[in-house]
Amino acid sequence: MRRTPRPLVAGNWKMHGLKSSLREARAVATSLAKGAFSCDVMICPPATLLRPMKEAVQGSKLKLGGQDCHASSQGAHTGDVSAEMLKDAGAGAVIVGHSERRADHGETNMQVRSKAAAAHRAGLVAIICVGETLAERKAGAARRVVGHQLKGSLPVTANEKNTVIAYEPVWAIGTGLTPTVDDVADVHSHIRKRLGALMSEGAPDRVRLLYGGSVKPANAEELLAIKNVDGALVGGASLKARDFLMIVSASG
Ligand code: PEP
């Protein structure tokens, strides 16, 4: 019998957020302190807001993460941020291989794997994103593409504690479109099986598999109830505390 991992609902703020946005994080932190939620809750703000957000929500259950990291711990890489720097600023996790990074910056599976390994080296949880394009889904290649990305992006250091997988169909991100419940269940079960061949015994059942792509208060309950869905990675709907908290509540 698979032991269900504790769900995680993580907000990806992308390139949104100024100091004034800290009030949204504070509102989430305050609600977490008041209610008994059965999931972990995380916000991944832009790197510039990590330290101030850490200070704004100090002492709360709200976890923080980065949105990307360089594979090296330091060096001549203008504009990049290392996993160690994210950790130093207050992050406990980092998203790697988001489809916007894969598309905008041409990141390959090999680079994503190096970044995930860097996250582990720094003591961060790596949230590794995988997902097919619309053309790939229409061609019936969703499972194959996701399986290939998973194999190529997962470092040997991955275990159930330091790694989370986020299935994010590229065509569902920021579009308001979502796959059917059956399609999400199918890909998540495929990911779980593929992890069986990629990780040591026991770990694949305990790795958290998040669904991401147009998760909103209106569809969160249905998506989060799907077998093998252990939480959500939420973009647009995580920017407002009210919407984000409705999604958090939907996780049970
Ligand atoms: C994301 O950026 O990871 C995401 C899922 O975005 P959205 O929820 O806006 O589709």
Side-chain angles (χ1 to χ4, degrees), residues 159-240:
N159 63 41
E160 70 275 22
K161 290 205 180 76
N162 66 18
T163 302
V164 171
I165 307 295
Y167 168 55
E168 300 208 302
V170 179
W171 52 274
I173 296 178
T175 59
L177 302 172
T178 49
T180 65
V181 166
D182 286 350
D183 285 341
V184 173
D186 181 59
V187 176
H188 276 240
S189 126
H190 183 63
I191 292 173
R192 186 81 69 198
K193 278 194 204 117
R194 294 282 297 175
L195 288 176
L198 298 169
M199 297 177 88
S200 57
E201 211 182 316
D205 285 350
R206 296 194 295 268
V207 170
R208 292 191 276 195
L209 308 186
L210 312 186
Y211 167 77
S214 295
V215 178
K216 308 261 179 271
N219 61 17
E221 200 171 333
E222 183 178 46
L223 288 164
L224 290 166
I226 300 171
K227 186 159 184 244
N228 281 311
V229 172
D230 309 310
L233 184 53
V234 185
S238 69
L239 293 171
K240 290 279 165 233

Side-chain angles (χ1 to χ4, degrees), residues 34-47:
K34 283 192 203 141
F37 295 93
S38 53
C39 65
D40 291 334
V41 182
M42 180 185 292
I43 291 179
C44 302

Side-chain angles (χ1 to χ4, degrees), residues 11-113:
N12 172 15
W13 278 19
K14 311 193 188 200
M15 202 172 73
H16 296 289
L18 301 173
K19 270 187 290 180
S20 55
S21 319
L22 293 175
R23 63 172 172 258
E24 302 297 330
R26 263 191 226 103
V28 172
T30 305
S31 286
L32 292 184
K34 283 192 203 141
F37 295 93
S38 53
C39 65
D40 291 334
V41 182
M42 180 185 292
I43 291 179
C44 302
T48 49
L49 279 186
L50 265 173
R51 170 56 60 192
M53 191 175 285
K54 182 76 181 169
E55 282 160 11
V57 304
Q58 199 69 47
S60 89
K61 290 186 198 146
L62 180 62
K63 297 173 187 292
L64 302 184
Q67 298 177 10
D68 176 53
C69 66
H70 195 279
S72 302
S73 55
Q74 58 181 351
H77 304 291
T78 304
D80 280 317
V81 176
S82 74
E84 282 77 1
M85 290 167 179
L86 295 174
K87 171 114 185 186
D88 190 50
V94 59
I95 299 168
V96 293
H98 191 284
S99 64
E100 287 155 12
R101 302 274 331 161
R102 291 180 188 260
D104 297 354
H105 301 270
E107 289 187 5
T108 62
N109 288 331
M110 208 188 285
Q111 285 170 310
V112 174
R113 185 169 58 201

Side-chain angles (χ1 to χ4, degrees), residues 9 37-39 220-221 224 243-252:
V9 176
F37 295 93
S38 53
C39 65
E221 200 171 333
L224 290 166
D243 288 350
F244 190 50
L245 284 164
M246 282 163 83
I247 295 169
V248 168
S249 302
S251 100

